[in-house]
Amino acid sequence: MFDPTAFENMKVVLEGHLYDYDLIGEISIIDRNDIVNTSKLSRQYELTFIESDERLYCQIVLKADLKQLAAELLPVHSNENEAGCKLFLRFVLKHKDDMKLMESTKAVVTNIWGLSRTVNQIIKYNTKDKHEVENEMTVSFNRLIYEDQMDDLLVMVEHMRETLKQLSKVIE
């Protein structure tokens, strides 16, 4: 039997919490990826869900690379402050091509997640419908997330859901 890594523990807790919401019908999980890169010895977990508005979804991304794994498995030879995971949140919505709307959606995400996090916005134009864009905003925490912050991850899910609700109001 092996001792699961911080990545595995956080992944299981997040997954279980989100699937509980899916089971009671409050969200719908629409995609899940558990990626192992054997060349770089890294892991990435992605879980994507929607609430009621199918024009927008949220994706949570948890990453751990060789540096984080080594810090956990070989603490004598590594910096134990590296034994965590990187966390990203991605909010993706489709709406009409409107600069004010793009600015409003980024403001919603920035207001909810705060200025201490980085919010990157990418706008993709639809070649079939030139009046529609895909607006993707990624929230980066700019630090590692550790296992002792597990309860914070569960609270974070509530903020993700609130972000979806607020974004839905903006694009109505």
Side-chain angles (χ1 to χ4, degrees):
M1 184 131 186
F2 72 97
D3 186 24
T5 63
F7 173 89
E8 286 293 328
N9 289 335
M10 286 188 261
K11 179 189 101 165
V12 167
V13 168
L14 271 172
E15 185 176 56
H17 192 61
L18 286 163
Y19 270 100
D20 285 345
Y21 281 121
D22 185 70
L23 283 172
I24 61 174
E26 290 191 19
I27 67 169
S28 294
I29 293 175
I30 58 171
D31 195 19
R32 188 180 131 248
N33 295 294
D34 197 347
I35 303 161
V36 177
N37 184 326
T38 56
S39 296
K40 297 178 181 175
L41 297 177
S42 65
R43 297 282 310 268
Q44 181 167 317
Y45 178 73
E46 304 166 352
L47 194 125
T48 307
F49 68 91
I50 61 172
E51 283 213 339
S52 56
D53 191 337
E54 293 184 10
R55 296 174 296 167
L56 65 132
Y57 63 84
C58 180
Q59 181 180 67
I60 185 164
V61 179
L62 196 61
K63 289 179 156 187
D65 59 25
L66 179 58
K67 193 178 206 178
Q68 281 85 51
L69 183 62
E72 192 165 352
L73 298 177
L74 306 167
V76 174
H77 302 291
S78 303
N79 180 354
E80 98 178 21
N81 291 333
E82 293 290 330
C85 297
K86 296 172 191 157
L87 179 71
F88 304 92
L89 305 176
R90 196 169 290 127
F91 298 94
V92 181
L93 51 152
K94 293 181 181 174
H95 57 76
K96 63 184 177 178
D97 184 5
D98 179 343
M99 187 57 74
K100 287 183 183 177
L101 202 53
M102 292 176 211
E103 290 169 1
S104 296
T105 56
K106 186 170 182 185
V108 165
V109 173
T110 303
N111 287 339
I112 291 174
W113 293 97
L115 296 173
S116 63
R117 292 164 190 89
T118 304
V119 177
N120 290 317
Q121 184 176 37
I122 298 172
I123 306 295
K124 298 176 186 175
Y125 290 89
N126 186 338
T127 57
K128 294 180 183 174
D129 181 357
K130 298 197 189 292
H131 300 291
E132 184 181 82
V133 296
E134 184 177 274
N135 184 347
E136 177 182 310
M137 288 161 288
T138 302
V139 178
S140 302
F141 288 78
N142 304 320
R143 64 180 180 82
L144 291 176
I145 307 298
Y146 301 100
E147 220 170 352
D148 60 353
Q149 297 167 314
M150 198 81 73
D151 291 336
D152 294 340
L153 292 177
L154 302 180
V155 172
M156 184 187 65
V157 169
E158 301 311 316
H159 291 295
M160 293 163 61
R161 295 186 63 207
E162 180 61 28
T163 304
L164 286 177
K165 287 178 180 127
Q166 295 297 321
L167 288 171
S168 184
K169 288 177 186 176
V170 170
I171 62 172
E172 285 180 337

